[in-house]
Amino acid sequence: MAMARASSGLQYPERFYAAASYAGFDGSPRSTSKAVRAKFSSESALILYALYQQATVGPCNIPEPSAWNAVEKSKWSSWKKISDMASTEAMRLFVKILEEEDPGWYSRASNFVSEAVVDVQMNQYSSIQPVVENGNSFPETKTISTENGSVVEAQDKDVVSEGFGSVVVYDQWIEPPVSGHRPKSRYEHGAAVIQDKMYIYGGNHNGRYLNDLHVLDLRSWSWSKIDAKSVAESAEAPSPVTVTPCAGHSLIPWDNKLISIAGHTKNPTDSIQVKAFDLQTCSWSFLKTYGKPPASRGGQSVSLVGGSFVIFGGQDAKRSLLNDLHILDLETMTWDEIDAVGVPPSPRSDHTAAVHADRYLLIFGGGSHATCYNDLHVLDLQSMEWSRPTQQGEIPTPRAGHAGVTVGENWFIVGGGDNKSGASETVVLNMSTLVWSVVTTVEGRIPVASEGLSLAIGSYNGEDVLVSFGGYNGCYNNEVNVLKPSHKSTLQSKMMETPVPDSVSAVLNQSATRDVESETGQEGKIREIVMDNVDADPMKSRGKVTNEHLTATLKAEKEELESSLSKEKVQTLQLKEDLAELETRNTDLYKELQSVRGQLGSEQSRCFKLEVELAELRQKLQTMETLQKELELLQRQKAASEQAALTAKRQGSGGVWGWLAGTPANEKADDA
């Protein structure tokens, strides 16, 4: 039998008996009605009496007392009305009510309560073989240290022994005793749960992509490997092809099949591929899609909403970050790219997504090449509008590579990191109130503080459990860790925001931390295990106080919201006035700009005309220079002609005098 050592004060049922003894219900001399009424109010005393009887005796089978005895009649009625409650539940409710009525009871009771180191049985199976890894043999059952390296005390964490062979540890990660051949260590793999079996597919190990498929039986905690058959390309082309190893993909359960979408591969394709694994035939097949598929990518989020997959973000094969939004209709297998209004999240990968009320898609965290985020964005799937609401409570640190699952309206986030260290806290977001709270914190390098781990929601012994696997925190992991969320992490905010029925009000106080357990089935129905049959009069009185407190709280919140709204309205009005002033100034500047542009156009036109006139004048000047040269030539020719004429005239005058002297001109020529 696998055992774990727990030094944590008294466990149940010993803790219950110690509480009963302290309250005066153990049959000792202190156990008198007068002593009990001295410690508690009449209403609380009746509730504690009924719970003690139910836990120790069982259902009320004694005859109804006479109406003349009012005290015994009230005690009998209180006990009779919770006859359907389990004894273990009655024990826990008894201790919880005592802690609220008298918070210091345990320390005061320690004088007569001996604490011991006890063996806590961790599994219902009689023999668990140790796992041998890397040549070392070690047992698989261990409790993860959560506070200063020691196990959390039972008075802070609910531990209930329910007969032989089972124990439930709330809000604490434990490593169950698994058997069988474990998958290879990995991260960025896909995980999905179908019918109490968790399937692990693909991933990254030492830089190598994987394509193996393993299954963990959540009832026996045993591993086995599935030898998948060859993939058929399609019904029209049945020739087998090889399943490409991948990492950073999404694995979604749908219609008794495992749907693998996208992922990084060694030789990436142009667009996203969609594969389906049939659990009956143990074979893979590619699903043919229509429309324009998204570009291939890894690190995206894929959410199942009704009959469609909603894909957001991721990183493509060229390491470009994305923030696009696509929807795949599973009935028509048609892709549709969505252009949502509002401001979308910045491009990112390795984020988480969740769907609330089948209408709102929540995106948290993720990283880029330079930084990690802790912002929260919400997409209204009806109006297709993005918004960034205000987060409240203990907001998680920035992280990427984390994993998340939803239980009812609560979104659990585990692991991740900021490239420096892993995130050690497990947090939960109430998706109705957007209030964060820390469930638990782990110490040291353990798998749940890793990047690239997987997280799935399963069922063990009829209750929801979170199951994590793998991850990388300096080394690759292949360990399984389990956490069972308690009522504190799943119902506190739910109880605070919904009206409290009379049948429940007797076990609720003003902080709404009464022991109520919720189980969310596959159909989304929530069953509350509560005390619904306690004496009506005390319940109504306490319920009235609780409702009045809730009403006062809601009124205060309403007034605060109205004040904030008024401030926002004033600020919006001021911004509108500033905007109107800026628009007026912008109009004036625009008119002035138009005027300057008109003047500039006129000057440009005038300059152009001047350039034309200048060109004409230059042409005329060149013509005048040519005419001047021709004039000078004509003047020279004229002067030459006049000189020649003068010379000829002189010569003509000498010939006349010779003729008068009787010497003809020809004779003179001959003499010469």
Side-chain angles (χ1 to χ4, degrees), residues 6-16 116 118-120 154 159 161 167:
S7 177
S8 56
L10 292 179
Q11 301 179 24
Y12 290 87
E14 287 80 6
R15 188 176 181 83
F16 161 73
V118 296
D119 288 327
V120 181
V159 181
S161 290
V167 66

Side-chain angles (χ1 to χ4, degrees), residues 609-646:
K609 291 180 180 179
L610 291 175
E611 288 178 353
V612 172
E613 291 177 358
L614 180 60
E616 292 177 351
L617 290 175
R618 285 178 179 174
Q619 187 176 4
K620 289 180 179 180
L621 181 58
Q622 292 177 355
T623 303
M624 289 178 66
E625 290 178 353
T626 303
L627 293 175
Q628 183 68 26
K629 291 180 180 180
E630 292 180 355
L631 179 59
E632 291 177 353
L633 179 60
L634 291 174
Q635 287 177 350
R636 286 195 298 271
Q637 291 178 354
K638 179 181 179 183
S641 299
E642 290 178 350
Q643 185 66 30
L646 181 59

Side-chain angles (χ1 to χ4, degrees), residues 335-560:
W335 286 103
D336 187 15
E337 183 173 3
I338 305 300
D339 186 14
V341 299
V343 180
S346 59
R348 64 190 64 197
S349 65
D350 299 326
H351 52 278
T352 51
V355 177
H356 177 50
D358 288 331
R359 175 174 176 177
Y360 301 101
L361 177 70
L362 285 74
I363 303 292
F364 172 74
S368 64
H369 298 312
T371 186
C372 294
Y373 306 105
N374 65 341
D375 50 353
L376 178 67
H377 298 262
V378 178
L379 174 66
D380 190 328
L381 295 172
Q382 291 186 2
S383 62
M384 287 299 170
E385 180 178 3
W386 286 105
S387 62
R388 186 174 177 179
T390 301
Q391 305 178 68
Q392 301 180 22
E394 303 175 74
I395 301 176
T397 56
R399 65 192 64 194
H402 48 287
V405 294
T406 59
V407 180
E409 63 180 5
N410 294 279
W411 187 15
F412 290 86
I413 302 292
V414 178
D418 57 1
N419 295 325
K420 297 179 182 178
S421 61
S424 60
E425 69 273 13
T426 298
V427 297
V428 59
L429 173 70
N430 185 293
M431 293 184 289
S432 294
T433 61
L434 298 182
V435 176
W436 288 99
S437 58
V438 176
V439 178
T440 186
T441 301
V442 296
E443 300 289 342
R445 279 191 172 185
I446 66 171
V448 293
S450 302
E451 297 183 28
L453 77 168
S454 63
L455 186 67
I457 182 71
S459 177
Y460 183 70
N461 286 341
E463 297 183 280
D464 293 321
V465 291
L466 311 184
V467 185
S468 73
F469 173 78
Y472 179 81
N473 58 356
C475 62
Y476 295 91
N477 300 303
N478 65 346
E479 298 178 356
V480 177
N481 289 283
V482 178
L483 180 144
K484 179 185 175 183
S486 71
H487 63 284
K488 295 177 183 177
S489 57
T490 57
L491 281 185
Q492 181 174 357
S493 56
K494 175 73 175 178
M495 292 162 58
M496 288 298 295
E497 66 185 36
T498 57
V500 182
D502 291 340
S503 60
V504 184
S505 60
V507 291
L508 298 178
N509 64 356
Q510 294 181 358
S511 61
T513 57
R514 179 67 75 239
D515 190 7
V516 181
E517 292 186 354
S518 170
E519 295 183 5
T520 304
Q522 294 181 354
E523 299 178 357
K525 297 181 179 179
I526 299 178
R527 304 187 302 275
E528 294 183 353
I529 306 174
V530 297
M531 282 184 62
D532 56 356
N533 290 308
V534 186
D535 192 10
D537 292 337
M539 285 193 296
K540 289 182 179 179
S541 61
R542 294 195 64 179
K544 182 178 180 181
V545 174
T546 303
N547 288 332
E548 289 177 354
H549 174 73
L550 293 175
T551 302
T553 302
L554 292 175
K555 285 183 178 179
E557 292 180 356
K558 180 182 178 182
E559 291 175 357
E560 183 178 355

Side-chain angles (χ1 to χ4, degrees), residues 183-191 199-205 208-214 244-249 251 260 284 469:
K184 182 181 294 185
S185 301
R186 67 192 67 201
Y187 82 124
E188 292 186 343
H189 51 278
Y199 296 85
I200 301 296
Y201 168 63
N204 187 324
H205 176 80
R208 296 183 59 184
Y209 297 140
L210 307 173
N211 65 348
D212 51 347
L213 181 62
H214 299 260
T244 304
C246 61
H249 53 286
L251 193 66
S260 175
W284 285 99
F469 173 78

